[in-house]
């Protein structure tokens, strides 16, 4: 590793997890002056405050072990106003938003970045699996080397200023090597499980959590030919392509096969959920989508639009798939070469040119 001559200050977001811990260690090895910063973005119920305390403890002990300064900061108010309120609004409109994307553009790479600049840092760092490349005078966001862990999807709303001030020290490592490094260095959290799910919901039941904020109204679950097959607990709690938690597994007399039932359509106005049997239902397949609230990382749309083959992901855990794109009156129109499964309103479509993440928009 190349040692820095001048000790430039970098603030790294330390979540208590293994990725940001190894990232902090790498920065220190590279010769930066490193400050670890733990941010609390949520403070409402007992179970989350317990896991926050544990994560904070883990982050503190890693900072001690690698010998860096450490700070704690509370962004809960910002988070509530700029991420959670939009998350709730979207759900109450029947869409399925992705709060991690908003958390990145509004909290990690805004509130956190502003705070870090105030304490004298030139750059911030996180343990995200993604890479940044300077191409002439533009900063590009690249997929991680470990495509299985790539998190560029969640970072597509970052802009040039944010990228110019960010470092992703583990973006060119594979997860298994990050774990191996953590063990070799003797990090206390080397064996800690990766976090899953939406951060403020954690391992709790999603419906129970959302019920506290969105008044639910029961309604019918219908087959496509209009037969009632069950009852839903509130349309907001269901998403297109959902299979589990419908409570209709045993409806034998209406089943045309043993295939599972999937949510294929939501009628918010009439409070009806439509289901169909089998993952291959034509209502779950589409080659075309429209997105709004478009964001391009370079600040302007790609030059080579017409007929150029990009690729795109319409949800995180999905291979990107070849497509062409067009923009029309603030809408991004994405035409895939192959059917995509369960395109869902409120999720983001993210556009790539090979490894380069160009930006995207919110599916409408
Ligand atoms: N509470 C937090 N405080 C400070 N930084 C955080 C916090 N949560 C996440 N981050 C930063 O954002 C990065 C990505 O967050 P994400 O929730 O995806 O973590 P992760 O992939 O599980 O990584 P880790 O193993 O570091 O927890 C983290 O690696 C860390 O740098």
């Amino acid at each position: 590793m190349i040692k820095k001559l001048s000790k430039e200050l970098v603030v790294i977001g330390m979540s208590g997890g293994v990725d940001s811990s190894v990232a902090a260690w790498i920065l220190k090895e590279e010769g930066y002056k490193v400050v670890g910063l733990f941010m609390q973005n949520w403070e409402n119920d007992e179970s989350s405050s317990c896991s926050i305390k544990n994560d904070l403890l883990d982050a503190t002990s890693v900072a001690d072990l690698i010998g860096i300064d450490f700070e704690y900061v509370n962004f809960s108010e910002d988070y509530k106003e700029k991420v959670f309120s939009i998350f709730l609004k979207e759900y109450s409109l029947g869409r399925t938003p992705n709060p991690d994307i908003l958390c990145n553009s509004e909290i990690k790479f805004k509130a956190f970045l502003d705070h870090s600049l105030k304490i004298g840092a030139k750059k911030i760092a996180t343990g995200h699996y993604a890479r940044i490349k300077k191409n002439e005078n533009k900063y590009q966001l690249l997929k991680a080397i470990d495509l299985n862990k790539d998190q560029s999807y969640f970072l597509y709303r970052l802009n040039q200023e944010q990228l110019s001030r960010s470092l992703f020290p583990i973006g060119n490592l594979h997860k298994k090597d990050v774990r191996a490094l953590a063990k070799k260095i003797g990090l206390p959290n080397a064996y800690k499980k990766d976090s899953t799910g939406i951060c403020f919901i954690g391992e709790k039941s999603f419906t129970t959590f959302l019920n506290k904020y969105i008044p639910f109204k029961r309604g019918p679950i219908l087959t496509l030919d209009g037969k009632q097959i069950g009852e839903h607990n509130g349309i907001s709690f269901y998403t297109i392509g959902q299979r589990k938690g419908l409570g209709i597994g045993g409806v034998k007399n209406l089943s045309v096969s043993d295939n599972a039932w999937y949510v294929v359509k939501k009628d918010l106005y009439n409070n009806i959920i439509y289901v169909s049997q089998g993952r291959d239902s034509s209502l779950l397949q589409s080659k075309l989508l429209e997105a709004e609230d478009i964001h391009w990382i370079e600040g302007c749309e790609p030059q080579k639009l017409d007929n150029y083959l990009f690729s795109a992901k319409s949800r995180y855990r999905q291979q990107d798939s070849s497509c062409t794109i067009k923009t029309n009156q603030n809408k991004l129109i994405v035409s895939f070469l192959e059917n995509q499964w369960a395109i869902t309103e409120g999720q983001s479509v993210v556009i790539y040119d090979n490894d380069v993440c160009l930006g995207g928009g919110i599916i409408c």
Side-chain angles (χ1 to χ4, degrees):
M1 279 174 194
I2 304 161
K3 292 260 179 193
K4 285 243 163 238
L5 291 178
S6 66
K7 290 240 171 188
E8 189 178 306
L9 178 64
V10 174
V11 176
I12 171 134
M14 291 182 75
S15 61
V18 71
D19 296 331
S20 47
S21 302
V22 169
W25 178 84
I26 291 175
L27 290 172
K28 174 101 190 299
E29 285 293 292
E30 285 177 347
Y32 288 101
K33 176 168 167 39
V34 187
V35 171
L37 187 67
F38 180 90
M39 51 184 178
Q40 177 165 350
N41 293 334
W42 189 254
E43 50 182 353
N44 251 359
D45 49 45
E46 297 237 321
S47 60
S48 66
S49 67
C50 169
S51 89
I52 288 168
K53 268 186 209 140
N54 289 338
D55 290 341
L56 178 58
L57 266 177
D58 286 341
T60 320
S61 53
V62 170
D64 271 355
L65 185 116
I66 58 183
I68 57 171
D69 289 341
F70 186 78
E71 264 197 32
Y72 158 91
V73 67
N74 192 326
F75 290 132
S76 307
E77 281 306 311
D78 263 349
Y79 191 90
K80 216 178 263 170
E81 185 192 329
K82 297 181 180 140
V83 180
F84 191 61
S85 64
I86 293 163
F87 168 86
L88 285 185
K89 187 171 139 235
E90 288 286 289
Y91 261 110
S92 58
L93 292 172
R95 303 198 193 110
T96 307
N98 194 321
D100 290 344
I101 292 174
L102 214 48
C103 176
N104 281 331
S105 58
E106 294 299 324
I107 306 296
K108 288 181 187 159
F109 296 86
K110 196 175 268 172
F112 181 99
L113 174 59
D114 290 347
H115 175 89
S116 304
L117 296 179
K118 271 192 209 134
I119 62 172
K122 292 265 180 299
K123 293 205 170 179
I124 59 167
T126 63
H128 280 106
Y129 285 87
R131 292 174 293 153
I132 297 168
K133 183 174 156 196
K134 194 164 180 204
N135 196 5
E136 292 170 9
N137 55 353
K138 291 282 185 185
Y139 289 86
Q140 293 182 317
L141 175 67
L142 267 57
K143 287 181 188 170
I145 292 286
D146 187 341
L147 291 178
N148 223 358
K149 293 297 294 180
D150 173 46
Q151 290 177 306
S152 57
Y153 179 88
F154 296 112
L155 298 165
Y156 85 91
R157 297 197 79 84
L158 299 191
N159 60 32
Q160 288 292 300
E161 166 70 9
Q162 290 165 320
L163 283 181
S164 74
R165 299 213 174 259
S166 303
L167 298 169
F168 299 139
I170 59 165
N172 48 17
L173 294 177
H174 282 85
K175 177 80 193 202
K176 66 174 174 30
D177 300 324
V178 171
R179 280 253 178 232
L181 256 177
K183 289 174 200 164
K184 194 172 130 200
I185 310 159
L187 295 183
N189 57 355
Y191 296 91
K192 188 170 174 174
K193 255 190 15 205
D194 288 347
S195 54
T196 51
I198 297 173
C199 56
F200 50 82
I201 301 180
E203 308 299 329
K204 291 191 281 294
S205 146
F206 182 69
T207 314
T208 316
F209 175 82
L210 219 54
N211 253 331
K212 289 201 285 194
Y213 299 92
I214 300 180
F216 69 94
K217 194 169 146 220
R218 288 188 202 282
I221 300 183
L222 303 187
T223 60
L224 289 174
D225 50 6
K227 297 195 182 87
Q228 180 158 1
I229 192 174
E231 194 182 42
H232 68 73
N233 297 322
I235 205 162
S236 298
F237 308 138
Y238 299 81
T239 188
I240 301 297
Q242 180 171 335
R243 178 171 67 89
K244 290 189 183 148
L246 302 179
I248 52 176
V251 194
K252 286 279 182 252
N253 52 339
L254 285 170
S255 304
V256 288
S257 67
D258 286 337
N259 286 338
W261 293 89
Y262 288 85
V263 173
V264 291
K265 206 165 99 179
K266 295 181 11 169
D267 177 350
L268 189 66
Y269 187 73
N270 295 304
N271 197 30
I272 300 171
I273 282 183
Y274 288 93
V275 291
S276 168
Q277 268 189 297
R279 210 174 180 275
D280 297 334
S281 160
S282 62
L283 279 174
L284 287 177
Q285 313 282 343
S286 175
K287 285 187 178 157
L288 193 67
L289 67 78
E290 272 189 14
E292 57 194 4
D293 201 2
I294 312 170
H295 175 81
W296 297 114
I297 288 176
E298 291 205 356
C300 54
E301 65 183 38
Q303 295 300 299
K304 39 187 183 187
L305 274 189
D306 284 341
N307 296 326
Y308 183 81
L309 263 197
F310 294 94
S311 64
K313 270 183 205 240
S314 54
R315 52 175 64 208
Y316 172 53
R317 278 272 165 225
Q318 189 179 61
Q319 278 288 358
D320 41 333
S321 180
S322 300
C323 63
T324 56
I325 59 176
K326 268 195 314 212
T327 50
N328 185 9
Q329 294 185 340
N330 298 328
K331 290 262 163 70
L332 171 66
I333 298 151
V334 183
S335 310
F336 290 96
L337 299 194
E338 289 178 354
N339 271 331
Q340 302 299 298
W341 190 76
I343 291 176
T344 304
E345 266 187 77
Q347 291 282 292
S348 285
V349 60
V350 177
I351 313 294
Y352 294 87
D353 186 2
N354 294 305
D355 266 3
V356 184
C357 174
L358 300 173
I362 297 177
I363 299 169
C364 55

